[in-house]
Amino acid sequence: MKKRESRTLRTRVVWCAAGLAATALVSPLAAQVPAKADLVVRNGPIYTMADEQSRVEAFAVRDGRYVFRGSNTEVMAYVGPDTQILDLHGTQMAMPGINDVHMHPLDGAYEDLYACNMAPNLPLPAVLARVADCVQRAEPGDWIVGAAWGSGLIPEVSTADALAALDKVSGAHPVVLRDDSFHNRWVNSEVMRRVGITAESISPPGSEIVKDAASGAPSGLLKEFPAFLAVMKQIPPRTPERQTQAAIAAGKTLNAFGITGAQDAFDSEAILKIWHQVDREHGLPFHMVASLSAMPPEHPGDRTGIDLVDVRDQYRSANVRPAFAKLFLDGVPPARTAKFLAPYLPDHQHGNNYSGEAKYTLEQLTDLLTALDKRGVPVKMHATGDGSVRLALDAIEAVRKRNGPDGPQHQIAHASFIAPDDIPRFAQLDVVADISPMLWFPSGIHMAIASVIGKARADLFFPVKSLVQAGALVAGGSDWPAGQPTANPWIGIEGLVTRKDPMGIFPGALWAKQAVDLPTALRIYTRNSAEAMGLGQETGSIEVGKSADFIVLDQDILQLPVEQIHTVMPQRTFFKGKQVHARPEGS
């Protein structure tokens, strides 16, 4: 804990020192007549997310950065003939842009534009009806690629009868449907024929080709990446034109929700090339931090793991930072592929004492983390079970002893279940709790988890308040399009405060004592996420010297009834001092 606080303190001192140094270089006369600003925002409320001057009336922007914050009177010294003035009229509110620490924006935008999308709470008959509708609109030979069926359907789609129903609505088309966890695929018989999956097929390590319990025939359900890698290679590749359009659309979608910074949680070299190209040719309207894949490559010739990390700088551009590596330590609880400390509920396949399997031993993970840590590369580790969270913490502790305590700030992604004794270790080891997806309220995924570990254990989900109180750096994300079909951060922010489903689909509250107050939730989604992504000195708060990434809301969110937070939509979004989104009048 002391180590993380000292790092944060150093950051604050750097900014304060920079401001003092700048003042010292200006003559007394010049200090009274500051250079004019490009933009002045005044007549707040303005919520800065800074430790000092957390609320101000006004700020000024020049060359894409904040140059002043303070009172309405003082800011007028920065107004010249060419200064744009944005008056909040005392009712609108400005605050830093949202930073999402965990999402898959290219996939999300691509699926919105081109896939057979469906809501994750649909029952199986509705999923089949959606596939039938997509088949009707498809051209001969098209693959039907869709998302996202709810992982609570895993038992239903694990049977020969469900496969027969999928085949019936598929026509002659290959069909691949992703679940809401992103870790499983349900495919039809035509796909299995093309990739050679039969009753004799053996599941690759770390995955499962699920077979019908009665007949032993494959059901079409493929759990975890190794099981469906061959399928993904068969799907016709996304064209460069569509990928480019998806990347551009992602920026528009994020800006509309007020997002000005995002960490892509999984970047193959192919994805990284798209982000780099679009940023150079069009300019991304948000900070994009990449997490470089250590998985086997989907595309021949693509580098992965350490090989990709070592060439990451060739993909760096103005708004793209290939900073992180990405490791998967386990799968997801509904598929029984998450690693727990205690066993799952008994089933016919795994017996009475199965607690899941991690993808690394402690020695393997420690060696890999040591190599990345020594290179200064922070690592985002997917870990959903309390067993894999402990594995991550144990490995980081070993790495701190090998490489020293001042290495990069690693992330444990999702961290949905954490043993009580492990909660204080996040701060002690300077580890970020990446609490995504936005499921800290009752949901279909939570119900699916309860069906495999029991409701009592499943309800101990996302101990957010305990992490905050223990001094951990807690950062928020959506996991869009996994976990949630939308990138909307306001759903997640409300859920953090109420622990209830903002959309009202699922009743009740989930571990209500882990709710946090609204200022804490906003900080988690702004300054904390920026710091977690390595952007703490660049964005996340309205402070002199930082990038002018901010949003304007039509009212003071701190005065809004908490049950209405999910309805918030920014009126304007600014990135590097330029307006990148304006909400249409009357919408």
Side-chain angles (χ1 to χ4, degrees):
M1 179 175 179
K2 290 182 179 178
K3 177 177 176 300
R4 193 185 74 75
E5 288 177 346
S6 65
R7 175 180 299 200
T8 304
L9 180 61
R10 287 199 302 272
T11 300
R12 294 174 191 149
V13 170
V14 166
W15 284 114
C16 292
L20 290 171
T23 302
L25 293 174
V26 179
S27 69
L29 179 60
Q32 297 173 17
V33 187
K36 303 310 178 185
D38 302 317
L39 170 68
V40 160
V41 179
R42 66 185 304 274
N43 204 11
I46 296 167
Y47 194 29
T48 68
M49 298 296 169
D51 292 327
E52 298 178 357
Q53 288 186 292
S54 61
R55 278 183 174 270
V56 297
E57 293 178 316
F59 62 81
V61 176
R62 184 170 59 247
D63 296 330
R65 295 192 176 270
Y66 300 113
V67 293
F68 168 82
R69 66 178 187 190
S71 71
N72 287 327
T73 301
E74 293 171 309
V75 81
M76 296 310 293
Y78 291 83
V79 174
D82 299 320
T83 302
Q84 177 189 355
I85 299 177
L86 177 56
D87 194 326
L88 301 178
H89 302 290
T91 55
Q92 293 181 315
M93 171 182 168
M95 61 173 279
I98 298 294
N99 292 296
D100 187 309
V101 77
H102 194 122
M103 61 161 49
H104 306 270
L106 192 62
D107 284 325
Y110 192 95
E111 289 182 3
D112 282 351
L113 290 172
Y114 304 115
C116 183
N117 277 3
M118 61 192 73
N121 62 338
L122 295 181
L124 184 56
V127 171
L128 296 170
R130 177 63 179 142
V131 173
D133 178 62
C134 293
V135 166
Q136 288 294 319
R137 294 182 286 105
E139 298 291 332
D142 279 353
W143 284 60
I144 308 300
V145 180
W149 52 274
S151 49
L153 295 178
I154 283 177
E156 291 184 66
V157 302
S158 299
T159 67
D161 288 344
L163 177 61
L166 179 61
D167 289 342
K168 185 176 180 179
V169 299
S170 300
H173 297 275
V175 177
V176 180
L177 304 177
R178 174 180 64 75
D179 79 329
D180 54 2
S181 76
F182 233 99
H183 283 249
N184 308 300
R185 302 294 187 274
W186 188 35
V187 305
N188 67 356
S189 294
E190 176 60 19
V191 170
M192 291 193 287
R193 182 189 68 79
R194 295 191 184 198
V195 299
I197 294 176
T198 68
E200 288 70 42
S201 295
I202 298 173
S203 298
S207 66
E208 183 182 356
I209 298 170
V210 178
K211 297 177 181 177
D212 179 74
S215 67
S219 65
L221 177 60
L222 308 174
K223 293 182 178 180
E224 298 298 331
F225 185 81
F228 54 78
L229 176 59
V231 171
M232 302 307 289
K233 289 181 176 180
Q234 287 283 327
I235 296 174
R238 299 174 178 181
T239 66
E241 293 77 17
R242 284 189 169 189
Q243 289 277 67
T244 298
Q245 289 306 309
I248 293 171
K252 294 178 180 178
T253 296
L254 300 192
N255 291 160
F257 287 126
I259 298 170
T260 55
Q263 183 167 352
D264 191 332
F266 182 87
D267 291 272
S268 65
E269 188 167 18
I271 293 174
L272 199 54
K273 288 176 181 176
I274 294 294
W275 288 126
H276 178 72
Q277 175 187 341
V278 171
D279 191 36
R280 286 178 62 88
E281 294 180 359
H282 302 274
L284 289 174
F286 62 101
H287 303 284
M288 215 294 292
V289 176
S291 309
L292 309 182
S293 167
M295 299 289 284
E298 288 184 34
H299 305 284
D302 272 5
R303 288 162 289 196
T304 186
I306 295 289
D307 290 340
L308 181 55
V309 165
D310 285 344
V311 298
R312 65 191 183 280
D313 283 342
Q314 73 184 60
Y315 296 110
R316 190 178 300 273
S317 55
N319 301 307
V320 175
R321 302 189 183 203
F324 283 72
K326 175 64 179 290
L327 304 178
F328 288 88
L329 305 194
D330 67 353
V332 290
R336 297 178 185 251
T337 51
K339 172 60 179 173
F340 282 97
L341 297 173
Y344 286 92
L345 296 176
D347 73 344
H348 73 278
Q349 182 178 356
H350 301 95
N352 296 329
N353 295 299
Y354 181 72
S355 59
E357 297 178 358
K359 298 181 183 295
Y360 297 89
T361 66
L362 177 57
E363 182 179 7
Q364 290 170 336
L365 182 58
T366 301
D367 287 345
L368 181 53
L369 276 181
T370 298
L372 292 164
D373 185 272
K374 191 172 292 185
R375 286 170 165 81
V377 177
V379 182
K380 182 187 282 287
M381 286 172 278
H382 168 107
T384 60
D386 54 9
S388 57
V389 170
R390 178 165 293 177
L391 172 64
L393 292 168
D394 288 348
I396 293 170
E397 184 173 3
V399 170
R400 298 290 188 227
K401 292 176 181 176
R402 288 187 186 181
N403 290 350
D406 295 323
Q409 195 173 40
H410 303 297
Q411 301 176 359
I412 299 180
H414 307 305
S416 10
F417 294 95
I418 308 173
D421 289 348
D422 286 331
I423 287 175
R425 298 178 71 196
F426 279 79
Q428 292 164 3
L429 295 170
D430 195 23
V431 178
V432 174
D434 161 2
I435 54 164
S436 86
M438 297 187 300
L439 297 173
W440 32 84
F441 48 79
S443 66
I445 284 184
H446 174 252
M447 293 173 63
I449 294 172
S451 72
V452 297
I453 65 172
K455 186 176 185 303
R457 283 172 61 192
D459 284 353
L460 302 180
F461 199 48
F462 284 118
V464 180
K465 188 173 185 177
S466 294
L467 286 163
V468 171
Q469 291 176 334
L473 180 62
V474 179
S478 62
D479 205 6
W480 177 58
Q484 285 286 344
T486 173
N488 186 347
W490 305 99
I491 295 174
I493 290 169
E494 181 177 320
L496 278 175
V497 177
T498 66
R499 303 288 293 203
K500 296 179 180 179
D501 175 15
M503 313 311 294
I505 299 172
F506 298 93
L510 178 57
W511 207 4
K513 74 176 187 178
Q514 291 295 336
V516 298
D517 60 23
L518 181 54
T520 299
L522 292 174
R523 187 181 179 102
I524 284 172
Y525 267 89
T526 53
R527 182 170 175 171
N528 283 15
S529 287
E531 184 177 339
M533 294 189 292
L535 298 176
Q537 295 190 36
E538 178 69 11
T539 190
S541 59
I542 298 175
E543 298 184 74
V544 172
K546 288 190 176 184
S547 179
D549 312 321
F550 65 93
I551 57 178
V552 176
L553 309 178
D554 61 3
Q555 57 189 308
D556 186 341
I557 191 174
L558 295 177
Q559 304 303 316
L560 188 69
V562 68
E563 295 81 7
Q564 296 179 23
I565 292 173
H566 73 278
T567 66
V568 167
M569 289 294 286
Q571 298 294 106
R572 301 168 185 257
T573 302
F574 289 78
F575 177 65
K576 295 186 175 181
K578 302 294 184 183
Q579 183 170 290
V580 291
H581 167 76
R583 190 175 179 188
E585 291 289 336
S587 64

